[in-house]
Amino acid sequence: MVRDDVKVVCNVPALGRCIDLAYLRGQSLFSVEFKLHNWRRAIRQARDHCLAADYAYVCMPRRDVGERMLEAFRAAGVGLLFYCEEGDWPFEIIEKAPRSRETWAVARTKLGDYLLTRDRSWL
Amino acid sequence: MSDSGIKGFHLVRYGTPADQKYLARPFLATYDQLVVNANMVAHTPGAIASFILQHMQSKPYFIDPQTHSFQHDISHIESRSEKSAGQIKRSVRKMIESYGEPIKTVVGRNRRSLLPSHLSDGKVVRQFCQRVINFQLEAISAEAEQDEDAKYYRFVREKKKLGKVNFGPSMAIAPYFCMTPATFKDWLKVNIDCATCSLESDEKIGIQVVITRDLLVEPTMCEQLVKAYAKLKPASFLIWVDGFSEHKAALHQLVAFVDLLKQLGDCAPVVNLYGGFLSVALRRCGKVDTLAGVAHGLEYGESREVVPVGGGLPIAKFYYPAMHKRVPFREALRVTKNEGGLKSVAAFHRTVCDCEECKSVIRSDAVSDFEAYGRTHPVSFMRRNQPIAMEYPLPETKDHCVRHYMWCKEREYDIGLSQDKIIDDLKWTERLAGTLDLDTVTYAKTWQLVLGKKRR
């Protein structure tokens, strides 16, 4: 994810939740919640990220995805990613996240500032 | 009502010295009576006496003697501070000194938990009860009498012909112990003995009944309990069900709770020592007419575990008036947005809240002003070898939330909501399942069933 056009930070606090990974690409803010198995719990957490980010995703290892699971993601307004080890971008989009309709300007600004000031701070 | 020792429906618990600023003005007139825990009184009797005398305008109060704290594992009353780790907490040591035997030897010296067998001798029980009652009657009043402001207070009272000054509590509570299904028989006998001995005194005596949630749903035991307590003639019954959250309880638990309130209420006025809006609604909707009072703490005291449990990470919570519930700020934000409450200041005051605090906080731009109830600072730490970042509420965030909570409580208790408004609120909350989630709002349906306003 180390690219010039992306600002990225891990473990970002937002409205009482901890976003596993957040990144700024262009003018858009993305949140990513990582989960190995429990996608329902991941959706619940990612849904809260919609209050701060423009797009909220859950990222999981490659797995079978049923229609019921995809429907749950769509209903929550959350996207689904698979983790990819190859290439220069670690995510494959399985279900594209719609732009959040819940974003609260105050939290979004805070998240954006956090990304700008702490870009790659884990490195 | 005055004979019950309960001076009004709205009781507030004094939790820590930090609560003082929310118990005095401007909130003083919003509640009727104060409940103070014995450990606080033992810790700083002078400070509490001064506070009651100088800032509370002699607000009626009573002391919870917390005798149950000696029946649990001793570690719960041990200090965890670096300096005195392993020693019994200073405030508890003072309670032990005041309560005397058998606690002094069993807990203070031998460092063992108190057992029912330690209170099997009638003479020991009688003397123990007398000391516990004396502590409540004298701990604050003796200090208040010595306070330098007492003479002026007495002068003003006498000049206004308001009668004799009494710095004592409105009633004393008999020693009590928590009952579980496993220990029910043993502790019930001790509790009844303590209550009977205490009632022999000339003082106004309240009987505190403390049970676990699993005992609450044991009909046979509850029947025995009511039968045993019904023979007593206390000023009032004070009920505490261990960790009983009205928002989380299942329907059968709430029904059992209402039954217990009603049955004890047939014998004497009852008080729910840790209650929320459902308890208030039970009285407003005529479901439990003998409910003489409901006590709560500052935000956190609508349910309480008998044995203290860890507090967890503090998060900013906003008391959503129409939900009658404290919810994480992000949930309050989601509901407020969906209801159009962030469109303007007027919209916020109309659809969410127009209490004194909200009028002062939400005044120029609802979108940004609302953050005052959720402002935090990030803190990073390691958990299970993983770096974690969390947000902690700022002191001013907590302050806004507590003030807002206290104003909301005044409306619920004192101004009074009509039955129709209560049911409207619960129906509205039920519909939030799509915005929040079912677990968060399912109590609204359960409460309607309990209040008899909805069919199963």
Side-chain angles (χ1 to χ4, degrees):
Chain A
M1 292 202 72
V2 184
R3 286 169 29 167
D4 289 342
D5 62 336
V6 174
K7 307 270 184 211
V8 59
V9 179
C10 290
N11 299 312
V12 185
L15 291 163
R17 289 273 192 218
C18 182
I19 301 175
D20 288 337
L21 183 140
Y23 64 92
L24 178 68
R25 196 177 189 180
Q27 296 297 308
S28 298
L29 278 169
F30 295 81
S31 73
V32 183
E33 178 68 28
F34 291 93
K35 272 284 180 291
L36 289 174
H37 308 290
N38 194 344
W39 56 268
R40 284 188 182 85
R41 185 169 151 74
I43 288 176
R44 276 202 299 276
Q45 289 170 284
R47 233 193 115 208
D48 287 336
H49 302 167
C50 291
L51 291 165
D54 298 320
Y55 301 92
Y57 278 96
V58 169
C59 179
M60 304 187 79
R62 196 169 290 282
R63 54 167 287 161
D64 288 336
V65 180
E67 190 51 37
R68 209 171 129 200
M69 180 174 165
L70 282 179
E71 195 44 54
F73 275 86
R74 285 181 202 129
V78 172
L80 175 64
L81 305 168
F82 279 166
Y83 176 67
C84 307
E85 286 188 64
E86 297 87 27
D88 67 341
W89 189 249
F91 306 126
E92 178 191 345
I93 295 178
I94 303 303
E95 177 69 30
K96 198 171 185 304
R99 190 177 184 95
S100 169
R101 283 182 295 178
E102 290 192 304
T103 314
W104 182 42
V106 178
R108 189 188 184 280
T109 305
K110 228 175 176 179
L111 178 59
D113 290 347
Y114 198 91
L115 278 158
L116 292 172
T117 53
R118 302 199 187 197
D119 180 30
R120 301 174 204 182
S121 54
W122 79 92
L123 290 175
Chain B
M1 187 75 82
S2 60
D3 288 335
S4 69
I6 304 302
K7 303 295 182 186
F9 191 56
H10 190 173
L11 289 80
V12 177
R13 190 169 286 264
Y14 179 110
T16 69
D19 292 350
Q20 286 188 2
K21 68 174 174 173
Y22 304 108
L23 299 173
R25 283 182 179 163
F27 299 104
L28 186 63
T30 67
Y31 63 96
D32 302 304
Q33 193 162 6
L34 199 63
V35 188
V36 192
N37 282 342
N39 65 334
M40 292 306 307
V41 176
H43 189 56
T44 50
I48 293 181
S50 289
F51 176 66
I52 289 178
L53 191 64
Q54 293 171 20
H55 301 285
M56 304 294 285
Q57 297 176 338
S58 204
K59 180 74 91 181
Y61 74 91
F62 62 85
I63 298 170
D64 180 338
Q66 295 181 296
T67 43
H68 75 91
S69 52
F70 304 108
Q71 75 181 115
H72 312 299
D73 190 289
I74 200 87
S75 63
H76 297 299
I77 53 171
E78 286 176 347
S79 171
R80 283 175 200 161
S81 72
E82 270 184 37
K83 264 188 181 175
S84 54
Q87 289 178 23
I88 293 177
K89 290 175 186 167
R90 199 164 70 92
S91 59
V92 180
R93 280 207 307 271
K94 288 191 173 177
M95 283 164 66
I96 292 172
E97 280 166 29
S98 302
Y99 293 173
E101 298 298 348
I103 290 174
K104 202 169 177 180
T105 300
V106 177
V107 182
R109 194 177 307 152
N110 299 341
R111 306 292 290 271
R112 308 295 293 262
S113 307
L114 195 72
L115 300 173
S117 57
H118 295 129
L119 286 162
S120 55
D121 183 310
K123 194 178 165 193
V124 171
V125 173
R126 188 161 287 109
Q127 289 174 348
F128 170 61
C129 290
Q130 196 53 57
R131 284 189 294 269
V132 171
I133 290 168
N134 286 346
F135 171 81
Q136 296 169 65
L137 297 176
E138 293 164 9
I140 290 179
S141 60
E143 293 283 341
E145 289 289 350
Q146 288 167 23
D147 193 284
E148 59 181 32
D149 286 350
K151 58 186 176 190
Y152 301 110
Y153 187 76
R154 201 176 282 117
F155 173 77
V156 172
R157 291 267 310 180
E158 282 164 10
K159 199 170 180 186
K160 287 185 179 174
K161 297 186 177 163
L162 292 173
K164 202 179 161 215
V165 180
N166 180 10
F167 297 122
S170 60
M171 67 173 165
I173 297 175
Y176 66 90
F177 299 92
C178 177
M179 295 173 277
T180 70
T183 64
F184 174 67
K185 273 191 180 166
D186 295 327
W187 282 120
L188 179 65
K189 184 187 178 311
V190 172
N191 282 328
I192 296 297
D193 288 349
C194 287
T196 306
C197 284
S198 301
L199 287 165
E200 285 170 7
S201 82
D202 295 333
E203 305 299 332
K204 204 174 287 173
I205 300 294
I207 302 296
Q208 193 155 329
V209 181
V210 185
I211 59 171
T212 53
R213 278 170 291 171
D214 41 2
L215 199 153
L216 180 67
V217 291
E218 287 283 346
T220 314
M221 288 184 187
C222 281
E223 199 177 305
Q224 288 173 29
L225 182 145
V226 171
K227 202 172 163 188
Y229 279 101
K231 291 175 188 161
L232 307 169
K233 297 281 174 217
S236 52
F237 284 117
L238 306 134
I239 316 294
W240 177 10
V241 180
D242 179 25
F244 189 66
S245 161
E246 294 171 358
H247 294 94
K248 290 179 185 163
L251 179 60
H252 71 287
Q253 291 175 314
L254 290 172
V255 169
F257 182 62
V258 172
D259 284 346
L260 182 66
L261 292 177
K262 278 182 177 172
Q263 288 172 40
L264 288 174
D266 286 342
C267 314
V270 283
V271 172
N272 181 6
L273 279 177
Y274 296 94
F277 182 69
L278 176 65
S279 293
V280 176
L282 285 172
R283 165 82 175 264
R284 293 265 177 267
C285 294
K287 198 74 182 163
V288 186
D289 291 328
T290 47
L291 191 58
V294 181
H296 66 83
L298 299 179
E299 283 206 291
Y300 302 101
E302 293 189 5
S303 70
R304 187 181 174 90
E305 277 78 15
V306 168
V307 173
V309 291
L313 291 169
I315 61 167
K317 285 193 174 182
F318 179 77
Y319 193 82
Y320 208 99
M323 292 175 76
H324 303 284
K325 185 185 184 187
R326 287 176 69 234
V327 292
F329 177 71
R330 59 175 178 271
E331 290 182 5
L333 174 67
R334 188 167 267 143
V335 177
T336 304
K337 268 172 74 85
N338 278 9
E339 294 299 310
L342 295 184
K343 281 180 185 165
S344 68
V345 170
F348 185 93
H349 292 154
R350 192 176 59 250
T351 60
V352 183
C353 184
D354 63 351
C355 75
E356 296 297 311
E357 192 63 15
C358 285
K359 277 194 257 181
S360 132
V361 166
I362 314 288
R363 54 182 176 183
S364 55
D365 173 31
V367 174
S368 54
D369 290 348
F370 190 43
E371 196 202 2
Y373 290 113
R375 201 166 286 142
T376 55
H377 66 99
V379 177
S380 304
F381 55 93
M382 299 293 282
R383 189 160 65 190
R384 290 185 216 127
N385 290 327
Q386 293 285 319
I388 300 283
M390 295 296 287
E391 290 184 313
Y392 282 76
L394 299 175
E396 55 265 37
T397 308
K398 286 187 205 164
D399 186 61
H400 289 308
C401 289
V402 175
R403 287 175 186 280
H404 163 72
Y405 175 82
M406 288 298 280
W407 290 124
C408 289
K409 284 288 145 186
E410 183 200 25
R411 288 186 181 189
E412 290 180 353
Y413 277 77
D414 304 330
I415 295 169
L417 302 172
S418 67
Q419 285 190 42
D420 289 345
K421 168 73 176 140
I422 291 169
I423 299 308
D424 282 351
D425 281 355
L426 295 177
K427 283 181 176 162
W428 174 83
T429 302
E430 228 186 316
R431 290 196 291 271
L432 293 176
T435 309
L436 302 174
D437 62 64
L438 193 57
D439 286 346
T440 309
V441 300
T442 197
Y443 69 91
K445 184 178 175 185
T446 314
W447 287 12
Q448 288 174 72
L449 292 166
V450 173
L451 294 169
K453 305 295 177 189
K454 191 180 180 100
R455 288 187 183 169
R456 290 188 201 197

